[in-house]
Each structure stands twice: as structure tokens, then as C-alpha cells.
Amino acid sequence: MQRIFWLAWRDLILEFRGRTGILSAVFFLAVMLFILAMAFGPNPQDLQKAAPGVLWVALAFAGSLLAGRAFGLEVEDGTLDDLLLTPGSREWIYFGKLLFQFALLLVVGLALLFLTAGLFYLPVQNAGWYLLVLLLGSLGYAAISTFYAGMLARLRGREVLLPLLLFPLVIPVVLAAVRFTQGLAEGVPVAELSDWLRLLLVFDIIYVTVCAMVFPYMLEG
Amino acid sequence: MQLASSNQTSRLDGLTLGILSLGVVGAGVGFFMAMTAPPDQSQGFVARIFHLHVPMAWMAYLASFAALGYSVAYLVRRKPHHDRVAAATVEVGLIFMALALLTGMLWARPTWGVYWDWEPRLTTTAILFAIYVGYVVVRGAIEDPELRAKAAAGVAILGSINVPISYMSVRWWRSLHQTQSIDLTTGKINVDAAILIPMLVNLAAFTLLFIGLVRLRSIIAAREAAREEV
């Protein structure tokens, strides 16, 4: 159990000391939001309408950029074999990397939320619900991106393959999260939107469980 | 030893040929029956495409279940045969899925007035199509056979689980489609017998074709693997 936290903690420290990955992701997002804001026009109503979609699509792109980080350093430094050699079951590697990806996505997601609130006039009065949907959405996304990143870690063309595999699978996450966020922005009572949260929760539970079960098979060799 | 066993599975056996020819004959008979069936009350002759569209969509989802089963079987048993069959089901399923999407679009244009609509079954099929394209690409990108089999199994398992979830999510998002011809949840049949029987014949014929094609494809894959080993 402790190993999971240590692995995630080590990766987070490396990530923040290295800075290149997370900084470039955040700046990429800022530029992307800027361009999208220009595309949707200066009219505040149009921007507000587009905001939930922009928020989640941007987060999905950022997630596919960051997904390679989960195993990129391990492969570069040749430490993946050391990880695999540690005794015991291998699910903990998945959970550790998942925690790392999840934390990274949350940080980026928060930055993104502030940016969309500013640039797209997304109303964020009930911030608690926004945080909840950000948590559930990022977890679902991270569950799949971590799995595929580990699976493709040693493959040469993984930068192209990863989004190709990732995006079709996370459509339910993006769809549910966008709808929920849109409802919040339009002031729909949360009770009417709770189906979307439930869908996200079910998705998270199913995929975290299945990925953790299948992941150990993917790493050998 | 390894060679001998792979030779056994790579033989083109009578059963495969029998299933394939029965499927081809059945598809011909089904086509004739579909063309002589009475026209639909509201849609007229246009509705006859349904005799092709429904079996094709059915095949696509049968392929998704079969791919899930064989992929799990591969991860548990580690027999290359299971991996080859899983790959074959996905490849054949991909073709049927493309045909189902295409016939669906051709049908949608005269009845709904548009080629594409964001309807749950349509959208889910399109998503599944994208997932299986990813499956084929991943298989092409990995050279080591064991690693390739494992990665492909992972993609297939995750992808097949996604079907009910994306179906539900799109269904809540938006809806408009013909009512299902056979409601699987209640067992109620919404089609007249004159149309139902040709459709069932087509369904059986396409199922035979599917099994035959999958067997044929895995035999070819087994031969390829045997050649690489030599």
C-alpha cells in the first residue's frame, strides 16, 4: 500500500523538478484556449455556451500530452526493469502511476478551470460541484491513459498510437462531464444532473478495476 | 512440437469450407426472400435494406463479444490460437461494422432525411469502429508476437467493456431511431412474420458467414505464424 504513494510521490517530485512536461502542457492549454476563444468570437454569450465543451476537450488533449509522462522517464532512465523486478504483485505499479497521472491532471484541470472562467466567462459560483466533476472526470481519464501508457511504454510510435486508442474510450467521460458542467453553468439544479455524475462514477469504478486486473499482463516481456 | 500443433490448426478443414458455402447459399436465399417480402407499410420498398442492415449490425456486436471472450481466454491460457481467433473476429467484425454503418446511412437518408444522426446505436457503433481500428493499428505496430498478443488483448477487453457505457451515455444525450425489431430485454417482437422470417434467414446466413470467415482468417494467420517460425 505504501509503495503506491511512494511511487506516485517520486514521480510527482521528478515531474515538478523537471518542470518541462507540466509547464509545456499548461502553456499549450493557454494558447489553445486563446485560439478557441478567438474562434468562438468575442460575444460573451457564445463564449459562455462553448465553455464547458472547451474545458473538457482541452483537458482531454492535455491528458494525452501528459499520458506519455507516466512511463516516459522510466523507459529513458531504464528504471522500468527495476520496477518490474520488485517482488510482489504488479497491480501496485498501476495504482502508483494512476495516482501520479490523476494528481497531474487535477493540477492542470484546476489551472484550466481558472482559465476558462476568465477567458470564457464560465460562472463558477458553486465551485464544489465543479471540483467533484473534475475529480471524477480526471480519474476516469487517468485510469485509461495510465493503462495504455504502460502498455505502449516501450513502443516507438506511441505518441501517435496513444491518442488513437485513448480518445474513443474516453468519449463517455468527456460527454458526461461536459453535460454536467453545462448544466451547472446554466444553473440547472444538481439533482437533475446527478445521472451524469453517476455515469462518471460507474465508469471510474469499472475501468479502474478492469485496468488494474489486466495491467500486470501487459508489462511482462 | 510447436510446428506440428500449428500445422494442425493451419489445415483448411472441411468444416470451414462447409460453413462458408452454407453461409453463401443462405445469404443468396435470404436475399431472394427479402426481395420478395411485402413492402413496409410506412416506408415502402426502402425498408428492405433492413434485411442487410440488421444482420450486419448484429455481426458487428457478435464480433465484439467474441473478441472479448477470446482475448480473456488468451490472457488466461496463453495459447497463440486464441490470439489469432480474437484478431480474426476483430478484422471480420470491422468489415461488417463498416457495412452496417454504410447501409445505416443509406437507409437514414430517405427515412430520416439525413445521412448521419447522433443516435445512440449509430454513435456507439462508430465509437466501436474507432476502437477496433486502434486494435488493428496496435497489432501492426508491435513486432514481437507475444507482446503484440497481450497488448491487443488489453485493447479488445477495454474496448468491449466500453460498448454498454458509451451506449448509455449517448442514449441519455439524445435519441431517435427505429424501435428495435426484437427487444432483447422483454423478448417482444415488433415485426410482422412475413418480414421476420426472411430476416431470420439472413441473420442465420450471416452468422454462418461470420464463423466461416473467422475460421478462414485464423487458418491464414496460423500459416503465417508457422512460416515465420521456420
Side-chain angles (χ1 to χ4, degrees):
Chain A
M1 207 45 209
Q2 263 188 332
R3 294 200 254 193
I4 297 174
F5 295 108
W6 281 118
L7 183 62
W9 183 241
R10 184 206 65 175
D11 279 343
L12 277 175
I13 287 179
L14 281 177
E15 191 62 49
F16 283 102
R17 281 199 190 137
R19 274 185 291 268
T20 44
I22 192 142
L23 267 185
S24 52
V26 169
F27 276 111
F28 165 73
L29 283 176
V31 172
M32 186 175 154
L33 285 185
F34 209 73
I35 292 174
L36 282 171
M38 284 174 169
F40 285 113
N43 187 354
Q45 274 92 40
D46 294 342
L47 286 174
Q48 211 165 20
K49 218 173 162 196
V54 166
L55 172 68
W56 284 97
V57 171
L59 193 58
F61 282 162
S64 82
L65 265 187
L66 290 172
R69 309 290 301 173
F71 287 89
L73 275 179
E74 305 278 4
V75 174
E76 269 172 41
D77 302 343
T79 46
L80 188 55
D81 295 315
D82 302 340
L83 263 190
L84 294 179
L85 281 174
T86 44
S89 70
R90 277 171 180 167
E91 283 86 0
W92 70 275
I93 301 178
Y94 175 74
F95 284 121
K97 292 292 182 186
L98 173 64
L99 200 62
F100 163 66
Q101 278 281 303
F102 182 47
L104 218 54
L105 268 182
L106 270 185
V107 172
V108 174
L110 276 178
L112 203 57
L113 196 62
F114 281 120
L115 278 172
T116 16
L119 285 175
F120 286 81
Y121 314 109
L122 185 72
V124 279
Q125 288 95 352
N126 28 17
W129 290 108
Y130 280 102
L131 277 182
L132 185 63
V133 73
L134 198 63
L135 277 171
L136 289 175
S138 309
L139 182 60
Y141 195 93
I144 293 174
S145 67
T146 310
F147 180 87
Y148 279 144
M151 190 181 97
L152 302 174
R154 295 187 211 247
L155 217 64
R156 246 169 296 131
R158 61 174 179 276
E159 288 85 2
V160 188
L161 271 178
L162 204 58
L164 180 67
L165 291 175
L166 193 55
F167 285 141
L169 273 187
V170 294
I171 286 175
V173 174
V174 175
L175 191 56
V178 166
R179 287 296 122 164
F180 186 80
T181 316
Q182 199 167 42
L184 279 185
E186 285 166 3
V188 179
V190 176
E192 283 177 33
L193 298 168
S194 61
D195 275 353
W196 293 118
L197 277 188
R198 230 172 291 153
L199 185 83
L200 278 176
L201 196 65
V202 168
F203 186 96
D204 291 356
I205 292 170
I206 290 177
Y207 269 101
V208 170
T209 319
V210 173
C211 288
M213 277 164 64
V214 181
F215 190 73
Y217 293 103
M218 298 293 124
L219 276 180
E220 295 158 60
Chain B
M1 185 61 206
Q2 179 67 36
L3 207 63
S5 68
S6 63
N7 267 342
Q8 206 123 67
T9 51
S10 69
R11 212 178 58 233
L12 184 60
D13 53 344
L15 186 60
T16 309
L17 283 175
I19 293 175
L20 265 180
S21 41
L22 208 64
V24 171
V25 172
V29 173
F31 186 73
F32 178 75
M33 287 175 83
M35 285 302 124
T36 49
D40 187 79
Q41 274 181 351
S42 54
Q43 296 181 15
F45 293 108
V46 170
R48 278 183 182 165
I49 199 171
F50 142 102
H51 293 286
L52 279 180
H53 176 68
V54 174
M56 280 165 178
W58 157 246
M59 291 302 97
Y61 284 94
L62 186 68
S64 133
F65 276 110
L68 175 65
Y70 277 104
S71 299
V72 172
Y74 175 78
L75 285 187
V76 177
R77 298 266 186 80
R78 297 297 170 87
K79 283 190 187 145
H81 171 68
H82 289 146
D83 170 56
R84 287 197 289 265
V85 179
T89 53
V90 169
E91 281 176 19
V92 178
L94 204 56
I95 293 170
F96 278 114
M97 214 174 286
L99 287 172
L101 282 173
L102 203 69
T103 50
M105 281 184 201
L106 289 179
W107 192 10
R109 176 67 187 165
T111 49
W112 296 342
V114 284
Y115 283 111
W116 184 262
D117 188 85
W118 296 100
E119 189 276 333
R121 266 170 281 173
L122 205 56
T123 314
T124 310
T125 311
I127 294 171
L128 198 62
F129 186 77
I131 290 172
Y132 283 160
V133 168
Y135 179 93
V136 174
V137 173
V138 164
R139 284 194 80 89
I142 306 177
E143 274 167 25
D144 178 59
E146 210 188 323
L147 217 60
R148 175 175 60 206
K150 277 185 215 149
V155 176
I157 292 172
L158 256 60
S160 300
I161 299 173
N162 201 36
V163 172
I165 304 176
S166 54
Y167 178 75
M168 283 315 290
S169 64
V170 183
R171 188 173 162 176
W172 284 343
W173 181 50
R174 129 137 255 218
S175 201
L176 147 99
H177 200 277
Q178 199 101 25
T179 45
Q180 282 159 324
S181 355
I182 298 175
D183 196 335
L184 291 175
T185 46
T186 58
K188 204 171 141 253
I189 295 172
N190 303 322
V191 190
D192 189 64
I195 296 176
L196 183 70
I197 290 164
M199 196 197 82
L200 288 180
V201 171
N202 270 315
L203 212 56
F206 272 82
T207 311
L208 284 175
L209 264 182
F210 177 77
I211 296 171
L213 285 173
V214 166
R215 285 183 71 102
L216 190 66
R217 182 67 187 90
S218 11
I219 287 170
I220 294 171
R223 285 186 180 177
E224 279 171 355
R227 195 192 57 200
E228 267 170 37
E229 267 172 42
V230 172

